[in-house]
Amino acid sequence: MLKALVTAALLLTTPVFGAEWSYTDGAGKSVTLDQPPVRIIAHSSVAAALIPYGIIPVGILRDGPPSLDRSLDGVDVSAIPVVSRGWFEIDAEAVLNLDPDIIITEYSPIEKTYQGGTGDDAIADRLETIAPTIGIERSNSIVDILERYRSLAATLGADTETAPLLAERARFDIAVARLEAATAARPGLTVMALSPGGSSISVGIPAYFGELNDFAHWGVDLVSPEATPGTSYFSLSAENIGTLKADVLLLDDRWEASPYDTLTNNPLSARLPAVAAGQMGDWPAEWIRSYGRYADQIDKLTDLIKRSRAALVD
């Protein structure tokens, strides 16, 4: 279904040639081209955002294998060449052979870096001899990021108001309304976002993660400790896991190893009220790039909140 939608949208999408195209990216870098770019090499997150608008990249930069790069889940990119299979692993010759008009990645203002290793000085210099590189600014709101992509797609000639796209946004609005109703019906229910590792546990600071900040805006009572200096997390050793208190745990789902197994393999995790009550769900950390996928994840969170009990912790 998605593949058919993408193909149909591609046939309907025609950039406005003859008009100068300019973009200022998240780092403040400005690029001007004689006309809107057509041959785009895109970071996987960018590809996930643009493909629903019918903008199909000629190449993709991935941050790792698909199991570690969730942004393209459910998107058929089997016919698109991959020119990077990991951070700093960009095949410059493959990029050159694709003859791109532009390379589009994302820019994180917190880390002050371009994604996929494209900000590395040596790599950046090599890529700039092939095509200009820009980074779409990441934000502390996924909604803001999705709107940036909608605006970008329009400048590239896409029709951003097709029936399927409007239906996705309507489904997203319904999902948000359901979440707001669920949180209002569970006063006092506390939620914590965790990224568990073998020897340490990291608590995501909601203000630094777009989806968590959105969830908080929609009424989810997210626990927000003070960040470990220089990071977006509060980190502690696995031995101190018992100090983490929340009614519901959301576990970072970006990694190949199951976060549930990683957490529960620590015998001390049994002391966590949320683990004992089975009140755990997925934290879709940083990879959502379409309204449809966001609606799916919000619905999952809503269902978790509706079945969870508050006041499990002191």
Side-chain angles (χ1 to χ4, degrees):
M1 181 67 178
L2 179 58
K3 186 175 183 179
L5 173 62
V6 168
T7 302
L10 178 60
L11 293 174
L12 294 172
T13 300
T14 305
V16 182
F17 293 104
E20 187 177 83
W21 183 90
S22 296
Y23 193 88
T24 300
D25 75 359
K29 173 184 176 183
S30 294
V31 169
T32 298
L33 302 176
D34 292 339
Q35 59 189 23
V38 175
R39 298 187 61 79
I40 298 168
I41 289 181
H43 182 267
S44 54
S45 295
V46 178
L50 293 182
I51 285 174
Y53 292 106
I55 298 169
I56 313 301
V58 297
I60 291 177
L61 302 166
R62 300 204 76 141
D63 285 340
S67 60
L68 297 177
D69 186 5
R70 296 290 310 280
S71 55
L72 286 167
D73 281 8
V75 182
D76 183 5
V77 293
S78 58
I80 303 175
V82 174
V83 297
S84 173
R85 300 186 181 277
W87 202 270
F88 301 125
E89 296 180 8
I90 300 171
D91 185 341
E93 184 174 351
V95 171
L96 177 64
N97 289 338
L98 289 174
D99 189 26
D101 299 321
I102 198 166
I103 300 166
I104 307 179
T105 181
E106 290 192 339
Y107 180 80
S108 172
I110 296 175
E111 289 87 6
K112 294 184 172 18
T113 186
Y114 289 86
Q115 299 303 302
T118 54
D120 175 80
D121 288 343
I123 294 174
D125 289 346
R126 179 71 189 277
L127 293 179
E128 286 289 340
T129 66
I130 301 172
T133 299
I134 59 171
I136 309 305
E137 183 178 356
R138 287 187 169 181
S139 161
N140 65 348
S141 168
I142 297 299
V143 175
D144 285 351
I145 295 173
L146 296 181
E147 284 303 298
R148 283 197 181 100
Y149 276 113
R150 189 156 75 100
S151 297
L152 173 64
T155 74
L156 296 173
D159 180 355
T160 62
E161 301 295 324
T162 65
L165 291 170
L166 292 175
E168 276 205 344
R169 294 210 294 276
R171 186 162 67 87
F172 165 80
D173 289 339
I174 292 170
V176 170
R178 288 186 65 240
L179 176 60
E180 290 176 328
T183 58
R186 291 288 189 277
L189 184 79
T190 56
V191 179
M192 181 181 290
L194 295 183
S195 186
S199 59
S200 65
I201 305 290
S202 297
V203 181
I205 307 302
Y208 293 146
F209 291 92
E211 63 289 330
L212 298 183
N213 197 42
D214 285 346
F215 295 163
H217 179 71
W218 297 324
V220 178
D221 186 2
L222 277 152
V223 176
S224 183
E226 185 174 345
T228 301
T231 76
S232 307
Y233 300 90
F234 167 72
S235 299
L236 70 164
S237 66
E239 289 78 10
N240 292 318
I241 192 174
T243 64
L244 301 176
K245 304 293 185 183
D247 299 313
V248 174
L249 296 179
L250 302 180
L251 305 182
D252 191 337
D253 65 0
R254 287 175 292 179
W255 314 120
E256 195 163 22
S258 164
Y260 299 92
D261 291 345
T262 301
L263 181 67
T264 57
N265 283 341
N266 181 340
L268 298 177
S269 69
R271 299 181 184 179
L272 298 178
V275 173
Q279 295 182 178
M280 295 184 289
D282 294 336
W283 168 20
E286 299 190 298
W287 58 264
I288 297 170
R289 289 297 180 269
S290 73
Y291 279 104
R293 296 311 302 273
Y294 210 0
D296 294 340
Q297 296 300 315
I298 293 168
D299 281 339
K300 289 172 62 176
L301 175 59
T302 298
D303 292 342
L304 173 61
I305 287 175
K306 290 173 70 173
R307 69 174 175 80
S308 296
R309 293 183 296 114
L312 294 182
V313 299
D314 297 331

